[in-house]
Protein backbone atom coordinates (compact mmCIF):
# COMPACT_ATOMS: atom_id res chain seq x y z
CA UNK A 1 0.00 0.00 0.00
CA UNK A 2 1.18 3.52 -0.66
CA UNK A 3 2.61 5.16 2.50
CA UNK A 4 0.32 8.21 2.35
CA UNK A 5 -2.69 5.92 2.08
CA UNK A 6 -1.59 3.94 5.15
CA UNK A 7 -1.10 7.10 7.21
CA UNK A 8 -4.38 8.62 6.10
CA UNK A 9 -6.65 5.60 6.30
CA UNK A 10 -5.38 3.81 9.40
CA UNK A 11 -7.91 4.22 12.17
CA UNK A 12 -8.58 2.94 15.67
CA UNK A 13 -10.79 -0.11 15.33
CA UNK A 14 -13.10 -0.64 18.29
CA UNK A 15 -15.04 -3.73 17.16
CA UNK A 16 -13.43 -6.90 15.80
CA UNK A 17 -14.95 -10.01 14.29
CA UNK A 18 -12.73 -12.32 16.40
CA UNK A 19 -10.87 -13.92 13.45
CA UNK A 20 -7.26 -14.87 14.19
CA UNK A 21 -4.57 -12.66 12.67
CA UNK A 22 -2.92 -14.36 9.71
CA UNK A 23 0.54 -15.66 10.75
CA UNK A 24 2.36 -14.13 7.74
CA UNK A 25 0.73 -10.77 8.38
CA UNK A 26 1.63 -10.95 12.07
CA UNK A 27 5.22 -11.74 11.15
CA UNK A 28 5.41 -8.73 8.83
CA UNK A 29 3.94 -6.48 11.54
CA UNK A 30 6.49 -7.69 14.10
CA UNK A 31 9.27 -7.31 11.54
CA UNK A 32 8.32 -3.63 11.04
CA UNK A 33 8.69 -3.19 14.81
CA UNK A 34 12.08 -4.87 14.73
CA UNK A 35 13.31 -2.39 12.13
CA UNK A 36 12.26 0.69 14.12
CA UNK A 37 14.98 3.15 15.10
CA UNK A 38 15.89 3.47 18.79
CA UNK A 39 18.25 5.81 20.65
CA UNK A 40 21.84 4.55 20.32
CA UNK A 41 20.27 1.54 18.58
CA UNK A 42 19.61 0.06 22.03
CA UNK A 43 16.53 -1.88 20.84
CA UNK A 44 15.27 -2.12 24.40
CA UNK A 45 11.76 -3.11 23.31
CA UNK A 46 10.17 -6.44 24.16
CA UNK A 47 6.95 -7.39 22.39
CA UNK A 48 4.67 -10.04 23.86
CA UNK A 49 2.17 -11.63 21.47
CA UNK A 50 -0.98 -12.43 23.42
CA UNK A 51 -3.13 -15.05 21.72
CA UNK A 52 -3.94 -17.76 24.27
CA UNK A 53 -7.33 -17.67 25.98
CA UNK A 54 -5.58 -17.58 29.35
CA UNK A 55 -3.43 -14.53 28.48
CA UNK A 56 -6.30 -12.74 26.70
CA UNK A 57 -8.35 -13.12 29.89
CA UNK A 58 -5.59 -11.25 31.75
CA UNK A 59 -5.83 -8.44 29.18
CA UNK A 60 -9.61 -8.34 29.71
CA UNK A 61 -9.07 -8.07 33.45
CA UNK A 62 -6.73 -5.10 32.88
CA UNK A 63 -8.80 -3.13 30.35
CA UNK A 64 -12.25 -3.00 28.75
CA UNK A 65 -10.57 -2.02 25.46
CA UNK A 66 -9.84 -5.33 23.71
CA UNK A 67 -13.04 -4.96 21.70
CA UNK A 68 -12.96 -8.63 20.65
CA UNK A 69 -9.49 -8.52 19.07
CA UNK A 70 -8.02 -12.01 18.70
CA UNK A 71 -4.45 -10.85 19.24
CA UNK A 72 -2.99 -8.20 21.51
CA UNK A 73 0.62 -7.05 21.36
CA UNK A 74 2.08 -5.89 24.65
CA UNK A 75 4.85 -3.41 23.95
CA UNK A 76 7.30 -3.25 26.84
CA UNK A 77 10.86 -2.04 27.24
CA UNK A 78 13.88 -2.84 29.39
CA UNK A 79 14.15 -0.01 31.93
CA UNK A 80 17.76 -1.01 32.61
CA UNK A 81 18.83 -0.57 28.99
CA UNK A 82 17.80 3.00 28.17
CA UNK A 83 19.83 6.03 27.13
CA UNK A 84 19.63 9.02 29.48
CA UNK A 85 19.76 12.27 27.55
CA UNK A 86 22.03 15.18 28.49
CA UNK A 87 20.45 17.10 31.37
CA UNK A 88 19.29 13.84 32.94
CA UNK A 89 15.57 14.68 32.77
CA UNK A 90 14.49 12.09 30.22
CA UNK A 91 15.55 8.76 28.89
CA UNK A 92 14.84 6.84 25.72
CA UNK A 93 12.62 4.05 27.08
CA UNK A 94 9.14 5.41 26.49
CA UNK A 95 9.91 7.09 23.21
CA UNK A 96 11.80 4.14 21.72
CA UNK A 97 8.91 1.85 22.63
CA UNK A 98 6.48 4.41 21.15
CA UNK A 99 8.41 4.45 17.87
CA UNK A 100 8.27 0.65 17.76
CA UNK A 101 4.55 0.76 18.55
CA UNK A 102 3.96 3.28 15.76
CA UNK A 103 5.76 1.02 13.28
CA UNK A 104 3.61 -1.91 14.43
CA UNK A 105 0.42 0.15 14.06
CA UNK A 106 1.16 1.39 10.56
CA UNK A 107 2.47 -1.99 9.43
CA UNK A 108 -0.74 -3.62 10.66
CA UNK A 109 -2.86 -1.41 8.43
CA UNK A 110 -0.51 -2.04 5.53
CA UNK A 111 -1.07 -5.79 6.04
CA UNK A 112 -4.86 -5.37 6.06
CA UNK A 113 -5.01 -5.90 9.84
CA UNK A 114 -7.04 -3.46 11.95
CA UNK A 115 -5.70 -2.21 15.24
CA UNK A 116 -6.14 0.10 18.20
CA UNK A 117 -3.50 1.63 20.45
CA UNK A 118 -4.55 1.08 24.09
CA UNK A 119 -3.32 2.85 27.19
CA UNK A 120 -6.41 2.51 29.39
CA UNK A 121 -4.90 0.07 31.89
CA UNK A 122 -2.51 0.05 34.86
CA UNK A 123 0.84 -1.03 33.39
CA UNK A 124 2.27 -2.24 36.71
CA UNK A 125 -0.75 -4.42 37.49
CA UNK A 126 -0.72 -5.91 33.99
CA UNK A 127 3.04 -6.57 34.12
CA UNK A 128 2.44 -8.46 37.37
CA UNK A 129 -0.48 -10.44 35.94
CA UNK A 130 1.59 -11.45 32.90
CA UNK A 131 4.59 -12.23 35.12
CA UNK A 132 6.92 -9.94 33.19
CA UNK A 133 10.50 -9.54 34.43
CA UNK A 134 11.06 -6.74 37.01
CA UNK A 135 13.22 -4.75 34.58
CA UNK A 136 10.44 -4.42 31.98
CA UNK A 137 7.84 -1.67 31.83
CA UNK A 138 4.76 -1.86 29.62
CA UNK A 139 4.20 1.15 27.35
CA UNK A 140 1.04 0.18 25.51
CA UNK A 141 -1.17 -2.56 24.13
CA UNK A 142 -1.99 -2.96 20.46
CA UNK A 143 -5.27 -4.71 19.68
CA UNK A 144 -4.99 -6.57 16.36
CA UNK A 145 -7.69 -8.20 14.28
CA UNK A 146 -10.23 -7.65 11.57
CA UNK A 147 -13.02 -5.08 11.86
CA UNK A 148 -16.48 -6.54 12.49
CA UNK A 149 -19.13 -5.89 9.88
CA UNK A 150 -20.31 -2.30 10.14
CA UNK A 151 -17.33 -1.23 12.25
CA UNK A 152 -15.17 1.58 10.96
CA UNK A 153 -13.51 4.83 11.90
CA UNK A 154 -15.17 6.92 14.60
CA UNK A 155 -16.10 10.49 13.73
CA UNK A 156 -13.01 11.98 15.33
CA UNK A 157 -10.77 10.05 12.93
CA UNK A 158 -11.32 12.69 10.26
CA UNK A 159 -10.99 15.57 12.71
CA UNK A 160 -7.40 16.79 12.76
CA UNK A 161 -6.05 20.28 13.40
CA UNK A 162 -4.78 22.26 10.45
CA UNK A 163 -1.03 22.28 9.88
CA UNK A 164 -1.04 26.00 10.69
CA UNK A 165 -2.20 25.18 14.22
CA UNK A 166 0.53 22.68 14.99
CA UNK A 167 3.50 23.80 12.87
CA UNK A 168 5.57 26.97 13.18
CA UNK A 169 8.40 27.99 10.91
CA UNK A 170 11.15 29.86 12.80
C1 LIG B 1 -1.48 7.09 23.03
C2 LIG B 1 -2.84 6.59 22.67
C3 LIG B 1 -3.62 5.95 23.62
C4 LIG B 1 -4.89 5.46 23.29
N1 LIG B 1 -5.58 4.74 24.22
C5 LIG B 1 -6.78 4.23 23.89
C6 LIG B 1 -7.49 3.41 24.81
O1 LIG B 1 -7.02 3.10 25.91
N2 LIG B 1 -8.72 2.95 24.43
C7 LIG B 1 -9.26 3.22 23.21
O2 LIG B 1 -10.36 2.77 22.92
N3 LIG B 1 -8.60 3.98 22.29
C8 LIG B 1 -7.37 4.47 22.60
N4 LIG B 1 -6.66 5.20 21.67
C9 LIG B 1 -7.25 5.48 20.36
C10 LIG B 1 -7.65 6.94 20.23
O3 LIG B 1 -8.85 7.14 20.91
C11 LIG B 1 -7.72 7.30 18.73
O4 LIG B 1 -6.47 7.08 18.16
C12 LIG B 1 -8.08 8.76 18.49
O5 LIG B 1 -9.36 9.00 19.01
C13 LIG B 1 -8.06 9.10 17.01
O6 LIG B 1 -8.80 8.20 16.26
P1 LIG B 1 -8.16 7.42 15.03
O7 LIG B 1 -6.98 6.63 15.57
O8 LIG B 1 -9.26 6.53 14.51
O9 LIG B 1 -7.71 8.44 14.02
C14 LIG B 1 -5.40 5.68 21.98
C15 LIG B 1 -4.60 6.30 21.02
C16 LIG B 1 -3.35 6.75 21.34
C17 LIG B 1 -2.51 7.39 20.28
Amino acid sequence: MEFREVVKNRYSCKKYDGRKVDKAHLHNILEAGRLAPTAKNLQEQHIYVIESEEALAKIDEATPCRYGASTVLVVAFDKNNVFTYPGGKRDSGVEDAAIVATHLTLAAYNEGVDSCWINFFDPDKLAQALDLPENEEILMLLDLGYAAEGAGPLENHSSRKELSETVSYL
Side-chain angles (χ1 to χ4, degrees):
M1 207 181 289
E2 218 239 308
F3 181 70
R4 270 188 297 186
E5 207 181 315
V6 173
V7 170
K8 189 167 177 220
N9 294 339
R10 177 227 53 88
Y11 71 95
S12 296
C13 179
K14 307 208 182 188
K15 194 174 180 192
Y16 298 87
D17 67 5
R19 270 184 297 149
K20 279 217 166 296
V21 175
D22 177 88
K23 285 281 166 220
H25 290 160
L26 181 59
H27 173 82
N28 291 342
I29 294 165
L30 294 169
E31 179 66 5
R34 186 181 78 84
L35 296 176
T38 52
K40 295 270 185 186
N41 204 21
L42 285 173
Q43 303 172 62
E44 68 268 49
Q45 73 269 18
H46 194 157
I47 319 299
Y48 294 88
V49 181
I50 307 288
E51 286 183 321
S52 70
E53 287 305 322
E54 191 194 345
L56 287 171
K58 290 178 180 173
I59 299 292
D60 289 340
E61 270 167 40
T63 179
C65 299
R66 179 158 72 93
Y67 304 124
S70 59
T71 301
V72 177
L73 301 183
V74 176
V75 177
F77 62 92
D78 180 354
K79 290 181 283 190
N80 297 342
N81 186 31
V82 296
F83 179 65
T84 302
Y85 302 128
K89 279 193 188 150
R90 288 199 296 120
D91 66 52
S92 63
V94 164
E95 66 193 313
D96 281 342
I99 296 165
V100 170
T102 305
H103 273 222
L104 297 170
T105 304
L106 294 176
Y109 192 78
N110 191 51
E111 294 295 323
V113 176
D114 295 300
S115 72
C116 189
W117 184 307
I118 303 299
N119 272 122
F120 191 74
F121 63 96
D122 179 328
D124 293 337
K125 275 192 190 160
L126 181 59
Q128 212 172 10
L130 295 173
D131 208 16
L132 265 50
E134 288 271 303
N135 58 310
E136 290 187 6
E137 182 172 323
I138 298 177
L139 173 76
M140 58 84 78
L141 308 177
L142 189 67
D143 292 346
L144 289 179
Y146 303 96
E149 214 177 305
L154 299 185
E155 242 176 61
N156 71 2
H157 172 68
S158 50
S159 159
R160 293 294 197 265
K161 292 180 180 176
E162 293 300 323
L163 274 183
S164 59
E165 292 179 78
T166 58
V167 177
S168 300
Y169 290 84
L170 301 178

